[in-house]
C-alpha cells in the first residue's frame, strides 16, 4: 500500500472543511495540503439531508463564509442552494482539485518518533458500468491534522425504540435517510418531533399530504422571521451590492447576539414577547399551548420559520400539533398515553441526530486510544495533550460558520507561526489543572447533547480552556492575540525528518 504524505490534511469537505481549505489557500499559500472526504460530493450536511423543505435555520448572512458572503435575499436558504454555495466557493478558491473523494478514515495515530500523523482508512471508487464498487485500503501521513468532520453520525440518526414500532404497516422514515421517490400525496403523515427538522417538514409536506400532524412530547420555541431581507433588497438599489450584503451580515450577527444575551438576562420578558408573536400568528381557536415550552428561551436551540409557514399550514387546516407522550405504535398509527389514536400512512421520526466525534475515527497517540471525554479543549480548536491536531467546531448558540471561520483563521496563524519560528510541533498543555466538568456543547441542554456527554471534550474553568461563545470576543482572541501564550508549547522537527517528509511528498489524486 502506497503512503501519501502532505504537510497538512483536512478531514471532511463540508462547510468547515472547504472553509478551512480556502483560508489555507489564502493565508498559507506554501502549505501542501489535501482534503480527505468519505462521500463522493462536497457539502457534508447539505449533501446528506434531502428531506422536503430542508433549509438552514440560521440566517444566511451569518451562516455564509466571512471571506465570500452569501449573496442572496432569502433569509434561510434551501439545502441544495447551500450545497452549491459550498461547491462554488471550493471552485473559486481552487480547492476542488485537492479533495480525495471516497476516503473513509478509521484511525489517526500520532507517531511521536516520526512527529507525524498516520491515517488509515479505505477508499471506495464508484462502480464502473456493470461492475462492483472497488474498495481498497489507504494510508496517509501528515505533519498537521485538521478534523472538519462535523458532530454527528452519518450512518444513522437517533431512533428511540417505541413499543410496537415494528408492527406498523405504513412507511417509517428517518429524515436522515429520505427515500427520494417517496410519494406522500394525499397520505396521512405523522411527524414525531419538535425541533428544526420537524418544523421544516410539516409545512413542506402539508402542501401535498392529506394532513400532517406534528406529534411532540413537549413544545419548543418557534419564531417567525421574514423569508426575505427587504431592507437589503432596498439598499442594493442605492449602494454597491457587496456593501449591502456586508451590512446585512454585521447587522444580523449583532442582532442575533443581542437576542441571545437578552434571552439569558431577561428570560421572562423574552419568553413573553415570543409567545405574543405565536398568539398573533395563530388563527382564532388555535391553542398556543403547543408552542409554550417549559424551559427558558435559548436553553435549547430555538426554531426559526420563514414568514410563519408552520402557523399558516395550521391555520389552513393542513397541519396540526399534538403534545402528548406515545403509548405504542399500532399497525396503522400511533396510540397516545391519553388514549387517543393518530392514524398514519407515513410516520416520520424526526427524533434527531446521534452525536459522534471526529467522524467515528479512532484517535491514538503512539498507539494508545485517546479518551476525548478526559481532554480539555483549547480555544475550542485544539485538544489538550494532542500534538499537531486541530478540530473545527462551530457555534451551537449562533451560526456554526462564524466560529468555524475564526477557527480556520486561527489555524492559519498557528501554521505561519510554526513556519516563521522554524518549529515543527505544537501542543496545548494544561499546567494549572483547569479541568472543568462541562462539555464543549454545554451551551445547549438538548437531549442529543446530554446523550453524548460521555464523548465530548471538556471545557476548563477559565480561558483559554473555557469557551466564550461570543463572536466579537472570540474574533479578537482568535485573530489577534499572540499565538505563543505560554500555554502552547512548541518544539522543532528533527532536520532528518524534514528531509524525509519532502522526499515522500506525493501528488494529489
Ligand atoms: C438538517 C440540518 C440543518 C442544519 N442547519 C443549521 C443552521 O441553519 N445553522 C447552523 O449554524 N447549523 C446548522 N446545522 C449544523 C450543521 O451541521 C453545521 O452548520 C455545518 O453544516 C457543519 O459543517 P461541517 O463541515 O463542520 O460538518 P458536516 O457538514 O457534517 O461535514 C463533515 C464532513 O466530514 C466528512 N467525514 C466525517 N467523518 C469522516 C471520516 N472519518 N473520513 C472521511 N470523511 C469524513 C463527512 O462525510 C462530511 O462531508 C444543521 C444541521 C443539520 C443536520
Amino acid at each position: 500500500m502506497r503512503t501519501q504524505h502532505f504537510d497538512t490534511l483536512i478531514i471532511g469537505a463540508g462547510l468547515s472543511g472547504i472553509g478551512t481549505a480556502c483560508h489555507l489557500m489564502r493565508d498559507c499559500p506554501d502549505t501542501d495540503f489535501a482534503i480527505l472526504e468519505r462521500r463522493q460530493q462536497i457539502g457534508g450536511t447539505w449533501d446528506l439531508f434531502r428531506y422536503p423543505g430542508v433549509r438552514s435555520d440560521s440566517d444566511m448572512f451569518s451562516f455564509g463564509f466571512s471571506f465570500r458572503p452569501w449573496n442572496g435575499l432569502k433569509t434561510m436558504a434551501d439545502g441544495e442552494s447551500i450545497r452549491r454555495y459550498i461547491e462554488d466557493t471550493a471552485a473559486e478558491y481552487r480547492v476542488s482539485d485537492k479533495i480525495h473523494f471516497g476516503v473513509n478514515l478509521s484511525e489517526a495515530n500520532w507517531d511521536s518518533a516520526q512527529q507525524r500523523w498516520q491515517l488509515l482508512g479505505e477508499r471506495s471508487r464508484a462502480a464502473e458500468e456493470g461492475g462492483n464498487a472497488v474498495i481498497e485500503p489507504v494510508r496517509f501521513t501528515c505533519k498537521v491534522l485538521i478534523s472538519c468532520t462535523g458532530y454527528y453520525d452519518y450512518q444513522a440518526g437517533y431512533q428511540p425504540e417505541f413499543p410496537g414500532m415494528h408492527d406498523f404497516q405504513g412507511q417509517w422514515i428517518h429524515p436522515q435517510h429520505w427515500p427520494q421517490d417517496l410519494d406522500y400525496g394525499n397520505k396521512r403523515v405523522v411527524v414525531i418531533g419538535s425541533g428544526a427538522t420537524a418544523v421544516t417538514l410539516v409545512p413542506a409536506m402539508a402542501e401535498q399530504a392529506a394532513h400532517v400532524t406534528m406529534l411532540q412530547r413537549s413544545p419548543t420555541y418557534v419564531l417567525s422571521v421574514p423569508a426575505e431581507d427587504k431592507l437589503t433588497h432596498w439598499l442594493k438599489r442605492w449602494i454597491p451590492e457587496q456593501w449591502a450584503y456586508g451590512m446585512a451580515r454585521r447587522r444580523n450577527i449583532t442582532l442575533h447576539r443581542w437576542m441571545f444575551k437578552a434571552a439569558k438576562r431577561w428570560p421572562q420578558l423574552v419568553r413573553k414577547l415570543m409567545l405574543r408573536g405565536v398568539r398573533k400568528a395563530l388563527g382564532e381557536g388555535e391553542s398556543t399551548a403547543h408552542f409554550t415550552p417549559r424551559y427558558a428561551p435559548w436553553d435549547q436551540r430555538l426554531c426559526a420559520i420563514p414568514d410563519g409557514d408552520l402557523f399558516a399550514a395550521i391555520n389552513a387546516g393542513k397541519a396540526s400539533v399534538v403534545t402528548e407522550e406515545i403509548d405504542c405504535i399500532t399497525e396503522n398509527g400511533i396510540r397516545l398515553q391519553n388514549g387517543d389514536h393518530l392514524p398514519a400512512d407515513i410516520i416520520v421520526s424526526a427524533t434527531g441526530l446521534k452525536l459522534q466525534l471526529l467522524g467515528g475515527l479512532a484517535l491514538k497517540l503512539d498507539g494508545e486510544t485517546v479518551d476525548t471525554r478526559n481532554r480539555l479543549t483549547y480555544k475550542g480548536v485544539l485538544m489538550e495533550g494532542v500534538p499537531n491536531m486541530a478540530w473545527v467546531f462551530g457555534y451551537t448558540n449562533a451560526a456554526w460558520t462564524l466560529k468555524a471561520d475564526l477557527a480556520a483563521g486561527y489555524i492559519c496563524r498557528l501554521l505561519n507561526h510554526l513556519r516563521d519560528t522554524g518549529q515543527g510541533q505544537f501542543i496545548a498543555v494544561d499546567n494549572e489543572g483547569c479541568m472543568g466538568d462541562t462539555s464543549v456543547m454545554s451551551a445547549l441542554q438538548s437531549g442529543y447533547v446530554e446523550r453524548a456527554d460521555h464523548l465530548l471534550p471538556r471545557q476548563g474553568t477559565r480561558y483559554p480552556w473555557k469557551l466564550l461563545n461570543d463572536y466579537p470576543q472570540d474574533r479578537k482572541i482568535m485573530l489577534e492575540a499572540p499565538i505563543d501564550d505560554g500555554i502552547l508549547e512548541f518544539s522543532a522537527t528533527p532536520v532528518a525528518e524534514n528531509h524525509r517528509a519532502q522526499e515522500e511528498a506525493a501528488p494529489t489524486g
Side-chain angles (χ1 to χ4, degrees):
M1 186 183 7
R2 190 166 71 113
T3 302
Q4 283 186 274
H5 179 82
F6 294 88
D7 289 343
T8 300
L9 280 171
I10 295 173
I11 312 176
L15 206 51
S16 305
I18 296 300
T20 303
C22 296
H23 277 269
L24 284 178
M25 288 297 274
R26 198 185 58 180
D27 300 335
C28 306
D30 303 333
T31 301
D32 163 46
F33 77 91
I35 305 173
L36 307 179
E37 167 56 53
R38 175 196 285 157
R39 299 173 69 74
Q40 302 291 351
Q41 276 214 111
I42 284 179
T45 297
W46 305 101
D47 183 39
L48 176 71
F49 279 85
R50 301 280 175 166
Y51 57 79
V54 59
R55 62 171 185 233
S56 69
D57 60 346
S58 296
D59 81 87
M60 285 308 297
F61 294 119
S62 323
F63 197 48
F65 298 115
S66 60
F67 55 88
R68 189 174 180 268
W70 174 260
N71 288 358
L73 292 170
K74 267 192 180 175
T75 321
M76 298 146 91
D78 61 275
E80 181 51 26
S81 304
I82 300 174
R83 204 196 66 72
R84 245 183 293 116
Y85 166 71
I86 302 172
E87 201 166 58
D88 292 347
T89 308
E92 190 176 313
Y93 278 73
R94 290 173 291 109
V95 301
S96 314
D97 295 344
K98 294 187 175 285
I99 308 172
H100 298 226
F101 289 107
V103 175
N104 184 15
L105 296 165
S106 51
E107 182 181 307
N109 180 40
W110 173 253
D111 181 337
S112 55
Q114 302 271 324
Q115 284 206 357
R116 57 172 66 181
W117 285 97
Q118 294 180 337
L119 306 185
L120 297 178
E122 285 180 341
R123 185 199 321 262
S124 61
R125 291 190 200 279
E128 301 278 328
E129 213 175 313
N132 292 326
V134 180
I135 297 184
E136 59 192 9
V138 286
R139 186 163 52 204
F140 293 86
T141 58
C142 63
K143 287 189 267 179
V144 175
L145 179 65
I146 308 174
S147 170
C148 297
T149 46
Y151 61 96
Y152 63 88
D153 186 348
Y154 272 57
Q155 295 305 311
Y158 174 63
Q159 179 58 74
E161 184 70 23
F162 298 112
M165 64 189 274
H166 303 290
D167 301 334
F168 183 57
Q169 297 297 305
Q171 272 177 291
W172 187 283
I173 293 164
H174 194 287
Q176 197 162 321
H177 307 283
W178 197 266
Q180 289 307 302
D181 56 355
L182 180 73
D183 173 15
Y184 52 92
N186 288 321
K187 303 258 172 78
R188 295 163 303 174
V189 180
V190 177
V191 177
I192 305 174
S194 61
T197 303
V199 303
T200 303
L201 268 169
V202 171
M205 294 187 82
E207 286 173 18
Q208 290 175 32
H211 189 84
V212 185
T213 307
M214 181 166 117
L215 172 60
Q216 57 181 13
R217 199 164 44 177
S218 57
T220 302
Y221 287 102
V222 177
L223 177 69
S224 174
V225 297
E228 278 215 348
D229 189 332
K230 294 208 169 67
L231 179 62
T232 304
H233 189 54
W234 179 81
L235 269 178
K236 262 178 28 172
R237 282 198 252 150
W238 308 103
I239 60 174
E241 222 173 51
Q242 288 315 311
W243 291 10
Y245 290 129
M247 282 165 70
R249 179 176 160 88
R250 283 192 294 279
R251 177 202 63 202
N252 285 6
I253 292 172
T254 309
L255 257 177
H256 192 279
R257 195 167 144 253
W258 283 352
M259 263 180 65
F260 180 77
K261 289 199 162 195
K264 292 288 163 192
R265 188 144 182 206
W266 303 291
Q268 285 313 319
L269 176 69
V270 173
R271 177 182 169 86
K272 216 166 137 184
L273 290 172
M274 291 188 62
L275 297 183
R276 188 183 293 170
V278 173
R279 176 70 277 152
K280 253 176 87 180
L282 278 177
E284 279 300 303
E286 292 292 346
S287 165
T288 55
H290 302 304
F291 300 99
T292 309
R294 289 189 286 256
Y295 56 87
W298 266 115
D299 277 357
Q300 298 184 17
R301 218 176 154 109
L302 55 83
C303 295
I305 54 170
D307 282 348
D309 62 355
L310 172 66
F311 301 132
I314 294 170
N315 293 342
K318 296 285 292 171
S320 50
V321 184
V322 172
T323 307
E324 185 55 63
E325 298 266 351
I326 293 174
D327 178 45
C328 66
I329 309 296
T330 64
E331 277 187 7
N332 53 6
I334 303 180
R335 168 103 35 231
L336 304 176
Q337 288 196 354
N338 64 6
D340 288 352
H341 185 258
L342 294 178
D345 305 306
I346 297 174
I347 296 179
V348 181
S349 187
T351 38
L353 305 164
K354 231 178 6 190
L355 249 74
Q356 186 184 58
L357 224 60
L358 307 174
L361 64 75
L363 187 69
K364 298 183 177 176
L365 297 179
D366 289 326
E368 290 277 314
T369 302
V370 177
D371 179 3
T372 47
R373 165 72 166 74
N374 288 323
R375 298 279 167 170
L376 280 173
T377 176
Y378 170 91
K379 296 192 175 180
V381 188
L382 310 184
M383 223 182 269
E384 173 244 335
V386 181
N388 285 23
M389 184 192 148
W391 62 316
V392 174
F393 203 84
Y395 286 130
T396 49
N397 67 337
W400 176 275
T401 328
L402 291 177
K403 178 68 190 288
D405 248 354
L406 293 181
Y410 173 78
I411 292 166
C412 289
R413 294 180 63 220
L414 179 55
L415 294 184
N416 288 339
H417 178 85
L418 290 185
R419 181 201 59 202
D420 296 346
T421 55
Q423 307 287 2
Q425 185 180 307
F426 61 85
I427 186 165
V429 182
D430 171 25
N431 285 319
E432 295 179 336
C434 290
M435 179 58 91
D437 198 38
T438 51
S439 85
V440 286
M441 289 185 84
S442 64
L444 285 184
Q445 294 168 11
S446 304
Y448 71 98
V449 176
E450 280 159 21
R451 285 195 299 275
D453 193 62
H454 63 289
L455 292 176
L456 294 166
R458 303 288 98 186
Q459 294 192 52
T461 45
R462 60 177 172 274
Y463 192 79
W465 308 106
K466 193 175 169 67
L467 296 180
L468 300 175
N469 283 325
D470 182 276
Y471 182 66
Q473 281 193 63
D474 278 333
R475 209 182 134 83
K476 255 194 144 59
I477 284 159
M478 307 291 273
L479 303 186
E480 291 170 24
I483 292 289
D484 191 354
D485 59 357
I487 295 173
L488 272 193
E489 293 184 1
F490 298 94
S491 56
T493 305
V495 176
E497 177 55 26
N498 256 329
H499 282 309
R500 200 160 48 228
Q502 279 160 19
E503 278 161 21
E504 284 179 25
T508 59

